[in-house]
Amino acid sequence: MNQAIRNTWMAVMLMFLLALGALSYVQFFAAGDLNDNALNRRPLYKEFDLPRGAILADGKPIAESVPTTEGQFDYQRVYNDPELYAHLTGFYSLTFGSRQLESAMNKELTGQSDDQWLDRIKNLFSGQATQGASVETTIDPRLQKVAYDLIPNGVQGTIIVSEPKTGNILAMVSKPSYDTNLMAVQSSKRANENMNKLLDVPGLNINVNPAVGHLIPPGSTFKIFDIVAGLESGKYNADTVMKNPARIKLPGSTATLGNFYGGNCAAKTEATLAWIVANSCNTPFVSMSQDLGAEAFRKVTTNFGFGQQLNIPVKVTPSVFPAELTGSQLAQSVIGQFDVKVTPLQMNMAAMGIANGGVIMEPNLVKQVMAPDLRVLSTTKPKVLGTATSPEIAAQVTDLMRGPVQYGTARSAAIPGLDIAAKTGTSQIGNTDLVNSWITGFAPADDPQVAVTIVMEKIDFKTGSSLTSPNLKKILEAVFNQ
């Protein structure tokens, strides 16, 4: 063999080895990343030609794939009562991909989960198409509808109802909502036209479930954490008498902070912690913040889940307690203002944790996953997320949270014969007349069955108040009068 032939042979072999190596890398190492790449549409096209599993609420499909003869694919994704469940299911779109449960449970819905590997092997030999599994949610359709109807059209709001002892979410609704079928169309042109219409809806972001992805100042519902910090310090109890001036100077500043103008705090210049909590006075908590220091509040908020990335299974945006605070900023933070930001789910977790004796159960939206032949592939069991405080402290906080309902800011939530614990909140929005109006609580206080959180955003104080405590009452009536 002369040198020229030898060189050519070596070059061919080298190119063959390079091609073999590249093919092996793509097949065995990069396949997952390539399939997950948002720019790679081939897996999505392949999935659209398969029967995707249903998303269920109490056994009834709220999202399902039905055979169709229209369009280029054999199946069409259909959403039932789409506005009622839009922020939970999200959508499954050829043009825009998937969101919320459609995205978080995609492997199960397409039959690609680890629990379905045996079914895939059987289908490989039988020639049958892979069918997706169905996902049964924890949602109670009746409570979901009650909660949804309590948010007036045109109002931006969220309501969550959960079980403190299991973490299961029974209702999770937000408005404005939208018709998810508009995103599921097979025509990209129509999908883009529909997307442009939805982008014009004030307050709507179809990429975000407001209950788990929207951060809002919590206002005085944050005082639940203040109470825990105060009680844990051993310096405060329900009978501790505190000064309650109408206004107080912020530390290191010439600015002052006052009690909310709409409450009863002006009635007493000194009061017990129990009375202060019931009427949600601000100035005593400013004094408490300077007494305890930022670390005490940071520790409590961390124990209740701030900064923690959760998947329920949809991703939850971590709530924020600022890392560095001056005395003035801390004073504003402990009344739920400054840069303190929470999701509605975070404040529901606060209520769940107190209701459950200080133990927070992991919030959960999925009850079980079922194969097409109705075999149960997996069941979600209650899991402890963490211990936020001791049972003794939780019991004292519960007692203090009875005050707002019995003689304070949440009186309109009261139901004769039902023991309710709750805390209201109002976070002001800049220098506007608009507020975020909150309430979070649970019932019965001595044996909690449900925790309820309501927030109405960017609303005037009077309207907001009419949609929080009274609606907490209506939800609890729906729960306990069923």
Side-chain angles (χ1 to χ4, degrees):
M1 183 183 297
N2 61 34
Q3 186 63 39
I5 295 175
R6 184 180 295 111
N7 290 344
T8 302
W9 182 85
M10 291 178 65
V12 170
M13 286 302 295
L14 181 61
M15 291 174 66
F16 174 76
L17 290 173
L18 286 172
L20 183 64
L23 184 63
S24 299
Y25 173 77
V26 169
Q27 287 292 326
F28 295 102
F29 299 104
D33 290 340
L34 290 171
N35 283 333
D36 293 339
N37 192 311
L39 298 176
N40 182 8
R41 312 301 291 175
R42 291 177 64 87
L44 196 57
Y45 291 154
K46 182 180 178 182
E47 288 174 10
F48 258 77
D49 256 339
L50 297 173
R52 185 177 177 84
I55 300 176
L56 310 169
D58 195 24
K60 297 180 179 177
I62 56 178
E64 59 183 329
S65 290
V66 298
T68 180
T69 56
E70 299 179 359
Q72 57 182 314
F73 299 103
D74 293 336
Y75 291 89
Q76 172 66 51
R77 199 63 168 167
V78 173
Y79 297 92
N80 305 310
D81 287 329
E83 289 88 356
L84 181 59
Y85 296 103
H87 294 295
L88 287 175
T89 61
F91 54 81
Y92 184 65
S93 167
L94 185 67
T95 307
F96 298 106
S98 57
R99 302 289 188 279
Q100 307 309 326
L101 283 175
E102 290 278 31
S103 175
M105 299 300 292
N106 188 57
K107 285 188 176 179
E108 289 77 6
L109 292 167
T110 56
Q112 300 302 314
S113 73
D114 293 342
D115 292 327
Q116 294 158 274
W117 68 272
L118 187 58
D119 294 332
R120 292 197 295 276
I121 291 177
K122 290 179 181 176
N123 292 337
L124 186 64
F125 288 101
S126 67
Q128 291 183 332
T130 297
Q131 294 187 48
S134 294
V135 174
E136 175 81 48
T137 67
T138 57
I139 295 297
D140 179 333
R142 190 182 66 88
L143 283 181
Q144 181 85 353
K145 184 70 166 61
V146 168
Y148 185 81
D149 289 344
L150 290 176
I151 306 174
N153 292 330
V155 170
Q156 188 173 343
T158 293
I159 297 176
I160 303 172
V161 184
S162 62
E163 292 179 330
K165 295 175 183 175
T166 65
N168 286 342
I169 294 168
L170 305 177
M172 179 180 277
V173 298
S174 295
K175 285 186 180 178
S177 189
Y178 65 103
D179 184 349
T180 34
N181 290 305
L182 295 175
M183 293 291 95
V185 294
Q186 295 188 9
S187 163
S188 294
K189 180 183 176 183
R190 282 185 57 202
N192 278 294
E193 291 172 350
N194 292 337
M195 172 66 90
N196 289 332
K197 290 177 183 175
L198 294 177
L199 288 174
D200 289 336
V201 177
L204 175 64
N205 181 349
I206 66 170
N207 297 314
V208 174
N209 176 351
V212 300
H214 186 38
L215 292 173
I216 316 163
S220 290
T221 55
F222 187 89
K223 290 171 184 170
I224 292 174
F225 308 121
D226 299 345
I227 301 167
V228 173
L231 295 175
E232 288 184 342
S233 74
K235 296 181 178 180
Y236 300 87
N237 60 47
D239 298 324
T240 301
V241 176
M242 303 174 70
K243 291 184 178 179
N244 180 37
R247 301 195 70 80
I248 190 169
K249 185 180 176 183
L250 293 173
S253 168
T254 57
T256 61
L257 187 152
N259 287 326
F260 195 69
Y261 58 85
N264 296 324
C265 294
K268 294 186 179 184
T269 55
E270 284 189 347
T272 62
L273 178 62
W275 191 90
I276 288 165
V277 171
N279 291 284
S280 201
C281 306
N282 291 331
T283 57
F285 288 101
V286 173
S287 300
M288 181 186 285
S289 72
Q290 308 311 302
D291 179 27
L292 299 182
E295 284 309 309
F297 298 91
R298 185 166 292 110
K299 172 178 174 289
V300 171
T301 52
T302 300
N303 289 344
F304 273 89
F306 278 58
Q308 187 171 350
Q309 176 64 67
L310 298 178
N311 297 290
I312 66 166
V314 298
K315 284 188 176 181
V316 179
T317 302
S319 296
V320 179
F321 187 78
E324 301 290 338
L325 291 169
T326 65
S328 173
Q329 292 166 345
L330 175 61
Q332 297 170 70
S333 296
V334 300
I335 61 166
Q337 296 274 183
F338 186 56
D339 284 343
V340 177
K341 300 286 178 59
V342 299
T343 59
L345 180 65
Q346 176 65 72
M347 296 318 300
N348 190 257
M349 289 165 58
M352 282 201 291
I354 297 301
N356 200 37
V359 175
I360 303 177
M361 303 303 291
E362 188 172 296
N364 176 46
L365 274 170
V366 173
K367 183 178 180 181
Q368 61 184 12
V369 177
M370 295 177 293
D373 60 5
L374 301 183
R375 281 178 295 120
V376 175
L377 297 174
S378 65
T379 301
T380 306
K381 297 180 180 176
K383 297 178 185 174
V384 173
L385 181 66
T387 300
T389 190
S390 68
E392 294 76 18
I393 297 292
Q396 293 179 61
V397 178
T398 297
D399 200 35
L400 286 167
M401 289 176 67
R402 287 184 170 105
V405 181
Q406 293 174 351
Y407 61 93
T409 54
R411 287 189 301 275
S412 52
I415 300 173
L418 183 63
D419 189 13
I420 303 171
K423 183 71 193 77
T424 58
T426 304
S427 58
Q428 295 174 283
I429 303 174
N431 294 320
T432 72
D433 292 330
L434 300 179
V435 301
N436 300 311
S437 191
W438 287 85
I439 191 166
T440 190
F442 51 90
D446 59 350
D447 182 24
Q449 304 299 308
V450 291
V452 182
T453 300
I454 302 172
V455 56
M456 301 294 168
E457 299 182 56
K458 301 174 184 175
I459 199 166
D460 67 87
F461 172 71
K462 185 176 180 181
T463 306
S465 297
S466 72
L467 294 174
T468 47
S469 295
N471 280 347
L472 174 63
K473 176 182 180 180
K474 291 174 183 175
I475 290 173
L476 293 177
E477 287 175 338
V479 170
F480 295 105
N481 291 334
Q482 56 183 321

